[in-house]
Amino acid sequence: MLSPTPLSLFCALILFLPLAVIVTITSLTTTIHGGSEHDPVSDFAPATKTHQRFSVKPLPLPPADDKSLLRAASRVNSRTPTGLPKKIAFLFLTVSPLPFAPLWELYFNKTPKNLFNVYVHADPSYPYETPFSGVFAHRVIPSKPALRYTPTLISAARRLLAHALLHDRSNHMFALLSASCIPIHSFNFTYETLTQSEKSFIEILNNEIGSYDRWAARGPDVMLPEVKLEDFRIGSQFWSLTRQHARVIVGDETIWAKFNQPCVVWDTCYPEENYFPTLIHMRDPRNVVPWTLTHVDWNGSSDGHPLMYAASEVGPQLIVRLRNDKPRYDDAGINGSDPTLTRRRDPFLFARKFSPDSIRPLMSIASDVIFKD
């Protein structure tokens, strides 16, 4: 038997080298994709075949750092494309799993996918045992910890707005929601209400009790000169914003620099309830309806949290009562905006807070009550 010569060995190596490279690359790719299945905070990706109706085209990776991300988002077109349906961007800001995901699944179930987008900011420090699925699958943006009494909740909301602006030019309105939020109307009702509005819905309250303490929570003069006490506002952190106001928020650096300072008095520090209404009031008060469309009950609040509805309280009567309540607005001339807004009768579209175990009674009345307008 002939022994292999050095020349024959060299030729064999050249012949099989491309095959080895292909096998190596294939193995690496498989490993990367396999690992992402267990990552609760994954980048956008097309949905799996089991949720094909909600699938989207692959997205280019956004800038990794917040500063570049916000700068890029602030430069997008302020107008949605003509000839295409307007979309609502549903922005879920959560530090836990989404207990009402089954209800939201029903909410979106028969909705054409060209009318909405879903984005989730999920605090990565929480141990998510079950990955987000269904309409929430692959909709988690690169997220960072979001802590109470700190500006990180503002950062999370700005991050959501930036990703939504960069992802889809058809996003017309941007609704911020929490894990304890539920819809109290059908998608069609919500869609018509929001897309027919040319104004943002954000609670902007003036001369509230405790305003000075909140303004001075970072120190007596820290907010000056950019944010004077007379410009400081309070409002719900949950809003529905136009595309123009979304760009205002992601493009802001001056007012954000003030609210991004750490508080020295933590029990009066609620930056997420002050930054957004203050900024919009200072930049464009006439193009807002100064109340939120997310119902909340502060009677019986505890430790800065609103009333939480227990499972035993959930029923048709509660949903009807929440719908019939009138949104609160500022009595002092609507902060310089159009006084005729006081005659509006805009409906609540969402409500919070609901206990996680109320999902069962909510599901039992979803079709016949919640989604029946």
Side-chain angles (χ1 to χ4, degrees):
M1 183 175 180
L2 295 176
S3 300
T5 65
L7 179 61
S8 63
L9 288 174
F10 178 75
C11 293
L13 178 61
I14 294 299
L15 179 63
F16 288 102
L17 182 59
L19 179 60
V21 171
I22 292 172
V23 171
T24 302
I25 292 176
T26 303
S27 300
L28 286 173
T29 305
T30 303
T31 302
I32 292 171
H33 286 294
S36 66
E37 292 178 358
H38 305 286
D39 182 6
V41 187
S42 59
D43 285 337
F44 290 120
T48 58
K49 290 183 179 179
T50 55
H51 306 293
Q52 190 62 39
R53 195 170 60 82
F54 298 115
S55 64
V56 295
K57 63 182 180 181
L59 300 175
L61 289 176
D65 64 290
D66 281 351
K67 188 174 182 179
S68 299
L69 173 70
L70 296 168
R71 184 184 298 115
S74 69
R75 295 171 178 170
V76 301
N77 198 315
S78 61
R79 297 182 179 275
T80 53
T82 57
L84 295 177
K86 296 176 180 178
K87 294 184 180 181
I88 300 175
F90 292 84
L91 314 177
F92 289 85
L93 199 169
T94 182
V95 294
S96 68
L98 298 174
F100 303 114
L103 183 64
W104 287 105
E105 289 281 351
L106 286 180
Y107 180 76
F108 293 117
N109 186 37
K110 297 180 180 180
T111 304
K113 63 183 180 181
N114 65 338
L115 298 183
F116 73 97
N117 282 305
V118 171
Y119 307 89
V120 181
H121 186 288
D123 188 330
S125 62
Y126 188 93
Y128 299 89
E129 296 179 0
T130 304
F132 296 98
S133 60
V135 70
F136 299 101
H138 309 291
R139 306 311 298 164
V140 180
I141 69 169
S143 308
K144 297 180 182 180
L147 306 175
R148 198 179 180 202
Y149 309 120
T150 74
T152 56
L153 287 170
I154 302 175
S155 296
R158 297 178 85 209
R159 215 171 281 128
L160 279 164
L161 284 173
H163 278 273
L165 284 167
L166 289 169
H167 169 224
D168 196 332
R169 283 187 57 200
S170 293
N171 283 333
H172 173 72
M173 292 289 282
F174 302 75
L176 185 66
L177 303 161
S178 75
S180 64
C181 280
I182 68 162
I184 58 174
H185 280 285
S186 68
F187 177 90
N188 289 340
F189 184 94
T190 300
Y191 182 84
E192 292 299 321
T193 300
L194 292 180
T195 57
Q196 289 180 7
S197 176
E198 296 300 323
K199 295 178 182 287
S200 292
F201 296 91
I202 176 171
E203 188 175 55
I204 302 177
L205 303 173
N206 190 18
N207 298 322
E208 288 290 286
I209 296 175
S211 291
Y212 175 80
D213 292 334
R214 289 191 180 208
W215 178 78
R218 297 154 194 83
D221 301 319
V222 170
M223 302 298 282
L224 295 173
E226 288 81 1
V227 183
K228 300 178 178 64
L229 177 59
E230 54 265 32
D231 291 326
F232 189 78
R233 296 293 185 269
I234 294 176
S236 170
Q237 71 180 102
F238 300 103
W239 30 251
S240 297
L241 300 178
T242 61
R243 188 173 180 86
Q244 177 59 35
H245 284 155
R247 289 178 70 245
V248 168
I249 288 174
V250 299
D252 170 53
E253 295 181 0
T254 304
I255 306 303
W256 165 240
K258 293 297 182 178
F259 281 92
N260 196 29
Q261 301 297 316
C263 290
V264 295
V265 184
W266 67 269
D267 59 345
T268 58
C269 185
Y270 301 97
E272 71 281 1
E273 295 180 0
N274 303 133
Y275 170 72
F276 299 106
T278 298
L279 176 64
I280 297 301
H281 160 71
M282 295 179 68
R283 294 287 188 264
D284 190 21
R286 297 196 65 85
N287 283 311
V288 301
V289 179
W291 52 69
T292 178
L293 298 184
T294 299
H295 188 285
V296 65
D297 189 349
W298 287 103
N299 295 319
S301 62
S302 175
D303 191 27
H305 292 287
L307 176 71
M308 178 177 287
Y309 300 106
S312 59
E313 300 176 88
V314 174
Q317 297 83 3
L318 176 61
I319 301 302
V320 172
R321 178 168 65 81
L322 297 179
R323 286 179 175 179
N324 290 338
D325 273 1
K326 180 174 172 53
R328 179 190 181 192
Y329 57 87
D330 184 26
D331 294 324
I334 312 301
N335 296 321
S337 58
D338 188 352
T340 61
L341 291 175
T342 59
R343 297 194 292 269
R344 294 175 62 112
R345 184 66 180 178
D346 295 287
F348 283 114
L349 302 177
F350 314 105
R352 58 186 290 268
K353 300 176 67 171
F354 286 79
S355 62
D357 63 342
S358 62
I359 180 60
R360 186 178 297 275
L362 284 170
M363 292 293 285
S364 69
I365 62 173
S367 298
D368 294 333
V369 179
I370 299 177
F371 303 145
K372 189 174 182 179
D373 302 310

PDB file of all heavy atoms in Angstrom, residues 36-41 94-99 122-133 140:
ATOM      1  N   SER A  36     -30.748  32.182  22.308  1.00  0.00           N
ATOM      2  CA  SER A  36     -31.670  33.313  22.438  1.00  0.00           C
ATOM      3  C   SER A  36     -33.058  32.870  22.856  1.00  0.00           C
ATOM      4  O   SER A  36     -33.843  33.657  23.345  1.00  0.00           O
ATOM      5  CB  SER A  36     -31.759  34.085  21.118  1.00  0.00           C
ATOM      6  OG  SER A  36     -32.367  33.272  20.132  1.00  0.00           O
ATOM      7  N   GLU A  37     -33.398  31.587  22.675  1.00  0.00           N
ATOM      8  CA  GLU A  37     -34.730  31.121  23.044  1.00  0.00           C
ATOM      9  C   GLU A  37     -34.959  31.233  24.549  1.00  0.00           C
ATOM     10  O   GLU A  37     -36.082  31.297  25.005  1.00  0.00           O
ATOM     11  CB  GLU A  37     -34.915  29.673  22.594  1.00  0.00           C
ATOM     12  CG  GLU A  37     -34.965  29.513  21.091  1.00  0.00           C
ATOM     13  CD  GLU A  37     -35.097  28.065  20.692  1.00  0.00           C
ATOM     14  OE1 GLU A  37     -35.117  27.199  21.581  1.00  0.00           O
ATOM     15  OE2 GLU A  37     -35.170  27.814  19.484  1.00  0.00           O
ATOM     16  N   HIS A  38     -33.902  31.248  25.318  1.00  0.00           N
ATOM     17  CA  HIS A  38     -34.035  31.319  26.764  1.00  0.00           C
ATOM     18  C   HIS A  38     -33.748  32.705  27.296  1.00  0.00           C
ATOM     19  O   HIS A  38     -33.658  32.904  28.487  1.00  0.00           O
ATOM     20  CB  HIS A  38     -33.085  30.301  27.412  1.00  0.00           C
ATOM     21  CG  HIS A  38     -33.291  28.904  26.898  1.00  0.00           C
ATOM     22  ND1 HIS A  38     -34.372  28.139  27.270  1.00  0.00           N
ATOM     23  CD2 HIS A  38     -32.575  28.158  26.019  1.00  0.00           C
ATOM     24  CE1 HIS A  38     -34.298  26.951  26.671  1.00  0.00           C
ATOM     25  NE2 HIS A  38     -33.233  26.953  25.901  1.00  0.00           N
ATOM     26  N   ASP A  39     -33.586  33.685  26.415  1.00  0.00           N
ATOM     27  CA  ASP A  39     -33.285  35.048  26.834  1.00  0.00           C
ATOM     28  C   ASP A  39     -34.578  35.846  26.903  1.00  0.00           C
ATOM     29  O   ASP A  39     -35.187  36.128  25.881  1.00  0.00           O
ATOM     30  CB  ASP A  39     -32.313  35.701  25.841  1.00  0.00           C
ATOM     31  CG  ASP A  39     -31.935  37.104  26.285  1.00  0.00           C
ATOM     32  OD1 ASP A  39     -32.327  37.518  27.389  1.00  0.00           O
ATOM     33  OD2 ASP A  39     -31.243  37.781  25.513  1.00  0.00           O
ATOM     34  N   PRO A  40     -35.055  36.226  28.122  1.00  0.00           N
ATOM     35  CA  PRO A  40     -36.323  36.946  28.223  1.00  0.00           C
ATOM     36  C   PRO A  40     -36.249  38.357  27.694  1.00  0.00           C
ATOM     37  O   PRO A  40     -37.264  38.993  27.493  1.00  0.00           O
ATOM     38  CB  PRO A  40     -36.595  36.954  29.736  1.00  0.00           C
ATOM     39  CG  PRO A  40     -35.241  36.861  30.355  1.00  0.00           C
ATOM     40  CD  PRO A  40     -34.439  36.011  29.421  1.00  0.00           C
ATOM     41  N   VAL A  41     -35.072  38.883  27.490  1.00  0.00           N
ATOM     42  CA  VAL A  41     -34.920  40.242  26.971  1.00  0.00           C
ATOM     43  C   VAL A  41     -34.166  40.147  25.654  1.00  0.00           C
ATOM     44  O   VAL A  41     -33.002  40.499  25.539  1.00  0.00           O
ATOM     45  CB  VAL A  41     -34.178  41.150  27.964  1.00  0.00           C
ATOM     46  CG1 VAL A  41     -34.189  42.582  27.483  1.00  0.00           C
ATOM     47  CG2 VAL A  41     -34.795  41.060  29.345  1.00  0.00           C
ATOM     48  N   THR A  94     -42.742  47.013  32.126  1.00  0.00           N
ATOM     49  CA  THR A  94     -42.992  46.062  33.197  1.00  0.00           C
ATOM     50  C   THR A  94     -41.712  45.668  33.918  1.00  0.00           C
ATOM     51  O   THR A  94     -40.627  45.659  33.321  1.00  0.00           O
ATOM     52  CB  THR A  94     -43.694  44.801  32.657  1.00  0.00           C
ATOM     53  OG1 THR A  94     -43.968  43.903  33.734  1.00  0.00           O
ATOM     54  CG2 THR A  94     -42.825  44.095  31.620  1.00  0.00           C
ATOM     55  N   VAL A  95     -41.848  45.363  35.190  1.00  0.00           N
ATOM     56  CA  VAL A  95     -40.750  44.828  35.989  1.00  0.00           C
ATOM     57  C   VAL A  95     -41.103  43.418  36.442  1.00  0.00           C
ATOM     58  O   VAL A  95     -40.507  42.885  37.378  1.00  0.00           O
ATOM     59  CB  VAL A  95     -40.462  45.732  37.212  1.00  0.00           C
ATOM     60  CG1 VAL A  95     -39.951  47.083  36.771  1.00  0.00           C
ATOM     61  CG2 VAL A  95     -41.704  45.899  38.089  1.00  0.00           C
ATOM     62  N   SER A  96     -42.076  42.808  35.787  1.00  0.00           N
ATOM     63  CA  SER A  96     -42.533  41.464  36.129  1.00  0.00           C
ATOM     64  C   SER A  96     -43.160  40.833  34.882  1.00  0.00           C
ATOM     65  O   SER A  96     -43.313  41.505  33.859  1.00  0.00           O
ATOM     66  CB  SER A  96     -43.565  41.535  37.259  1.00  0.00           C
ATOM     67  OG  SER A  96     -44.750  42.156  36.801  1.00  0.00           O
ATOM     68  N   PRO A  97     -43.539  39.562  34.951  1.00  0.00           N
ATOM     69  CA  PRO A  97     -44.295  38.984  33.835  1.00  0.00           C
ATOM     70  C   PRO A  97     -45.604  39.733  33.622  1.00  0.00           C
ATOM     71  O   PRO A  97     -46.009  40.548  34.455  1.00  0.00           O
ATOM     72  CB  PRO A  97     -44.542  37.539  34.300  1.00  0.00           C
ATOM     73  CG  PRO A  97     -43.475  37.263  35.289  1.00  0.00           C
ATOM     74  CD  PRO A  97     -43.221  38.568  35.996  1.00  0.00           C
ATOM     75  N   LEU A  98     -46.281  39.453  32.522  1.00  0.00           N
ATOM     76  CA  LEU A  98     -47.535  40.137  32.191  1.00  0.00           C
ATOM     77  C   LEU A  98     -48.706  39.232  32.575  1.00  0.00           C
ATOM     78  O   LEU A  98     -49.087  38.340  31.808  1.00  0.00           O
ATOM     79  CB  LEU A  98     -47.580  40.467  30.708  1.00  0.00           C
ATOM     80  CG  LEU A  98     -46.477  41.411  30.208  1.00  0.00           C
ATOM     81  CD1 LEU A  98     -46.529  41.551  28.687  1.00  0.00           C
ATOM     82  CD2 LEU A  98     -46.595  42.782  30.882  1.00  0.00           C
ATOM     83  N   PRO A  99     -49.299  39.452  33.753  1.00  0.00           N
ATOM     84  CA  PRO A  99     -50.366  38.547  34.207  1.00  0.00           C
ATOM     85  C   PRO A  99     -51.614  38.599  33.344  1.00  0.00           C
ATOM     86  O   PRO A  99     -52.401  37.658  33.339  1.00  0.00           O
ATOM     87  CB  PRO A  99     -50.658  39.043  35.633  1.00  0.00           C
ATOM     88  CG  PRO A  99     -50.234  40.477  35.640  1.00  0.00           C
ATOM     89  CD  PRO A  99     -49.047  40.539  34.710  1.00  0.00           C
ATOM     90  N   ALA A 122     -38.825  45.120  29.582  1.00  0.00           N
ATOM     91  CA  ALA A 122     -38.887  44.189  30.710  1.00  0.00           C
ATOM     92  C   ALA A 122     -37.602  44.297  31.522  1.00  0.00           C
ATOM     93  O   ALA A 122     -36.511  44.019  31.008  1.00  0.00           O
ATOM     94  CB  ALA A 122     -39.081  42.757  30.208  1.00  0.00           C
ATOM     95  N   ASP A 123     -37.732  44.703  32.767  1.00  0.00           N
ATOM     96  CA  ASP A 123     -36.573  44.842  33.646  1.00  0.00           C
ATOM     97  C   ASP A 123     -35.783  43.530  33.652  1.00  0.00           C
ATOM     98  O   ASP A 123     -36.293  42.496  34.092  1.00  0.00           O
ATOM     99  CB  ASP A 123     -37.056  45.182  35.058  1.00  0.00           C
ATOM    100  CG  ASP A 123     -35.914  45.529  36.005  1.00  0.00           C
ATOM    101  OD1 ASP A 123     -34.796  45.011  35.819  1.00  0.00           O
ATOM    102  OD2 ASP A 123     -36.143  46.317  36.938  1.00  0.00           O
ATOM    103  N   PRO A 124     -34.539  43.528  33.167  1.00  0.00           N
ATOM    104  CA  PRO A 124     -33.785  42.274  33.039  1.00  0.00           C
ATOM    105  C   PRO A 124     -33.340  41.693  34.372  1.00  0.00           C
ATOM    106  O   PRO A 124     -32.870  40.555  34.417  1.00  0.00           O
ATOM    107  CB  PRO A 124     -32.573  42.680  32.189  1.00  0.00           C
ATOM    108  CG  PRO A 124     -32.401  44.136  32.466  1.00  0.00           C
ATOM    109  CD  PRO A 124     -33.786  44.683  32.657  1.00  0.00           C
ATOM    110  N   SER A 125     -33.490  42.430  35.465  1.00  0.00           N
ATOM    111  CA  SER A 125     -33.090  41.905  36.772  1.00  0.00           C
ATOM    112  C   SER A 125     -34.137  40.955  37.350  1.00  0.00           C
ATOM    113  O   SER A 125     -33.885  40.279  38.344  1.00  0.00           O
ATOM    114  CB  SER A 125     -32.832  43.064  37.753  1.00  0.00           C
ATOM    115  OG  SER A 125     -34.001  43.835  37.959  1.00  0.00           O
ATOM    116  N   TYR A 126     -35.323  40.897  36.709  1.00  0.00           N
ATOM    117  CA  TYR A 126     -36.378  40.003  37.196  1.00  0.00           C
ATOM    118  C   TYR A 126     -36.206  38.620  36.568  1.00  0.00           C
ATOM    119  O   TYR A 126     -35.946  38.507  35.365  1.00  0.00           O
ATOM    120  CB  TYR A 126     -37.757  40.562  36.847  1.00  0.00           C
ATOM    121  CG  TYR A 126     -38.901  39.795  37.483  1.00  0.00           C
ATOM    122  CD1 TYR A 126     -39.421  40.201  38.708  1.00  0.00           C
ATOM    123  CD2 TYR A 126     -39.431  38.658  36.879  1.00  0.00           C
ATOM    124  CE1 TYR A 126     -40.460  39.499  39.310  1.00  0.00           C
ATOM    125  CE2 TYR A 126     -40.460  37.946  37.470  1.00  0.00           C
ATOM    126  CZ  TYR A 126     -40.968  38.373  38.688  1.00  0.00           C
ATOM    127  OH  TYR A 126     -41.990  37.662  39.278  1.00  0.00           O
ATOM    128  N   PRO A 127     -36.359  37.547  37.362  1.00  0.00           N
ATOM    129  CA  PRO A 127     -36.207  36.183  36.812  1.00  0.00           C
ATOM    130  C   PRO A 127     -37.463  35.722  36.074  1.00  0.00           C
ATOM    131  O   PRO A 127     -38.352  35.125  36.663  1.00  0.00           O
ATOM    132  CB  PRO A 127     -35.952  35.337  38.063  1.00  0.00           C
ATOM    133  CG  PRO A 127     -36.664  36.071  39.163  1.00  0.00           C
ATOM    134  CD  PRO A 127     -36.558  37.541  38.823  1.00  0.00           C
ATOM    135  N   TYR A 128     -37.549  36.007  34.796  1.00  0.00           N
ATOM    136  CA  TYR A 128     -38.713  35.602  34.007  1.00  0.00           C
ATOM    137  C   TYR A 128     -38.618  34.098  33.736  1.00  0.00           C
ATOM    138  O   TYR A 128     -37.818  33.657  32.910  1.00  0.00           O
ATOM    139  CB  TYR A 128     -38.765  36.377  32.695  1.00  0.00           C
ATOM    140  CG  TYR A 128     -38.892  37.870  32.878  1.00  0.00           C
ATOM    141  CD1 TYR A 128     -37.757  38.661  32.988  1.00  0.00           C
ATOM    142  CD2 TYR A 128     -40.136  38.482  32.967  1.00  0.00           C
ATOM    143  CE1 TYR A 128     -37.863  40.030  33.180  1.00  0.00           C
ATOM    144  CE2 TYR A 128     -40.256  39.847  33.171  1.00  0.00           C
ATOM    145  CZ  TYR A 128     -39.113  40.617  33.265  1.00  0.00           C
ATOM    146  OH  TYR A 128     -39.220  41.962  33.466  1.00  0.00           O
ATOM    147  N   GLU A 129     -39.466  33.325  34.402  1.00  0.00           N
ATOM    148  CA  GLU A 129     -39.400  31.869  34.249  1.00  0.00           C
ATOM    149  C   GLU A 129     -39.985  31.424  32.920  1.00  0.00           C
ATOM    150  O   GLU A 129     -39.512  30.468  32.310  1.00  0.00           O
ATOM    151  CB  GLU A 129     -40.143  31.200  35.413  1.00  0.00           C
ATOM    152  CG  GLU A 129     -39.504  31.474  36.784  1.00  0.00           C
ATOM    153  CD  GLU A 129     -40.283  30.824  37.906  1.00  0.00           C
ATOM    154  OE1 GLU A 129     -41.316  30.174  37.612  1.00  0.00           O
ATOM    155  OE2 GLU A 129     -39.869  30.954  39.071  1.00  0.00           O
ATOM    156  N   THR A 130     -41.018  32.118  32.463  1.00  0.00           N
ATOM    157  CA  THR A 130     -41.653  31.774  31.186  1.00  0.00           C
ATOM    158  C   THR A 130     -41.450  32.916  30.205  1.00  0.00           C
ATOM    159  O   THR A 130     -41.834  34.051  30.490  1.00  0.00           O
ATOM    160  CB  THR A 130     -43.164  31.529  31.378  1.00  0.00           C
ATOM    161  OG1 THR A 130     -43.344  30.506  32.360  1.00  0.00           O
ATOM    162  CG2 THR A 130     -43.800  31.110  30.064  1.00  0.00           C
ATOM    163  N   PRO A 131     -40.833  32.664  29.054  1.00  0.00           N
ATOM    164  CA  PRO A 131     -40.617  33.746  28.075  1.00  0.00           C
ATOM    165  C   PRO A 131     -41.943  34.317  27.592  1.00  0.00           C
ATOM    166  O   PRO A 131     -42.982  33.655  27.630  1.00  0.00           O
ATOM    167  CB  PRO A 131     -39.866  33.035  26.944  1.00  0.00           C
ATOM    168  CG  PRO A 131     -39.300  31.802  27.557  1.00  0.00           C
ATOM    169  CD  PRO A 131     -40.273  31.389  28.620  1.00  0.00           C
ATOM    170  N   PHE A 132     -41.917  35.556  27.131  1.00  0.00           N
ATOM    171  CA  PHE A 132     -43.103  36.180  26.570  1.00  0.00           C
ATOM    172  C   PHE A 132     -43.511  35.421  25.308  1.00  0.00           C
ATOM    173  O   PHE A 132     -42.661  35.025  24.507  1.00  0.00           O
ATOM    174  CB  PHE A 132     -42.829  37.639  26.247  1.00  0.00           C
ATOM    175  CG  PHE A 132     -42.530  38.483  27.456  1.00  0.00           C
ATOM    176  CD1 PHE A 132     -41.229  38.767  27.823  1.00  0.00           C
ATOM    177  CD2 PHE A 132     -43.561  38.973  28.246  1.00  0.00           C
ATOM    178  CE1 PHE A 132     -40.954  39.530  28.942  1.00  0.00           C
ATOM    179  CE2 PHE A 132     -43.302  39.724  29.364  1.00  0.00           C
ATOM    180  CZ  PHE A 132     -41.996  40.012  29.722  1.00  0.00           C
ATOM    181  N   SER A 133     -44.814  35.237  25.127  1.00  0.00           N
ATOM    182  CA  SER A 133     -45.292  34.431  24.001  1.00  0.00           C
ATOM    183  C   SER A 133     -46.446  35.146  23.319  1.00  0.00           C
ATOM    184  O   SER A 133     -46.867  36.235  23.710  1.00  0.00           O
ATOM    185  CB  SER A 133     -45.740  33.054  24.495  1.00  0.00           C
ATOM    186  OG  SER A 133     -46.800  33.177  25.435  1.00  0.00           O
ATOM    187  N   VAL A 140     -39.769  42.198  23.055  1.00  0.00           N
ATOM    188  CA  VAL A 140     -39.038  42.822  24.159  1.00  0.00           C
ATOM    189  C   VAL A 140     -37.823  43.556  23.608  1.00  0.00           C
ATOM    190  O   VAL A 140     -36.982  42.970  22.936  1.00  0.00           O
ATOM    191  CB  VAL A 140     -38.601  41.777  25.205  1.00  0.00           C
ATOM    192  CG1 VAL A 140     -37.847  42.456  26.350  1.00  0.00           C
ATOM    193  CG2 VAL A 140     -39.806  41.031  25.743  1.00  0.00           C
TER     194      VAL A 140
END
